[in-house]
Structure formats: structure tokens, C-alpha cells
Amino acid sequence: MALSWLPTSDAYVVISGDVWLVSLDPDVPLVKLTDEHSGPTWAYALSPDGRYVAVAPEVRRGGSIWRLDLSAVVGR
């Protein structure tokens, strides 16, 4: 398991097979960022501004890198 803090320090991104956004606010539920694929995610990278996360999911017979916009999830 790995994690990266958002630059605002109000949430972090964690990878544990899937990629999750975890807010420090206990009233905000966990957000699963990798719902659209069925394989595990092996790596991710958070942009320096904390707006995007790039994920590298396991894909049969190939590979892909996805860029997810976090602004809708973290309210930016």
C-alpha cells in the first residue's frame, strides 16, 4: 500500500489494488477513483498541484495510463 498527500493536506490518495481518495474530514466518504476498470492498479502519480492523478491499471494484453481529474472530488 502506498499513499500521497494532496498539496492542501486535507486529503490523500492511497493505492491498495484500487486507488482511493481519503479526506481528513470524517463526514466525507472514501471515493474510489478506479471504478471504471476491473484489474488492479499497480502504480499512480499525483500531479504537483494535486489536481490530477495518473494511474497505471493492469490491462490484459497491453497497458494503459489514465489521468483522473480530482477537482470534482475535492471541490476545487
Side-chain angles (χ1 to χ4, degrees):
M1 183 167 69
L3 64 90
S4 295
W5 285 97
L6 295 182
T8 57
S9 298
D10 59 348
Y12 57 92
V13 176
V14 63
I15 183 172
S16 61
D18 290 305
V19 180
W20 297 82
L21 179 71
V22 182
S23 174
L24 295 184
D25 183 342
D27 295 329
V28 176
L30 295 174
V31 177
K32 186 177 177 184
L33 300 176
T34 53
D35 270 344
E36 296 180 16
H37 73 86
S38 58
T41 299
W42 297 108
Y44 74 93
L46 189 63
S47 66
D49 64 0
R51 185 171 173 200
Y52 299 101
V53 61
V55 297
E58 179 182 276
V59 177
R60 293 181 188 190
R61 296 185 183 165
S64 68
I65 297 176
W66 298 11
R67 186 180 85 163
L68 307 171
D69 187 347
L70 297 178
S71 60
V73 180
V74 296
R76 292 184 189 171

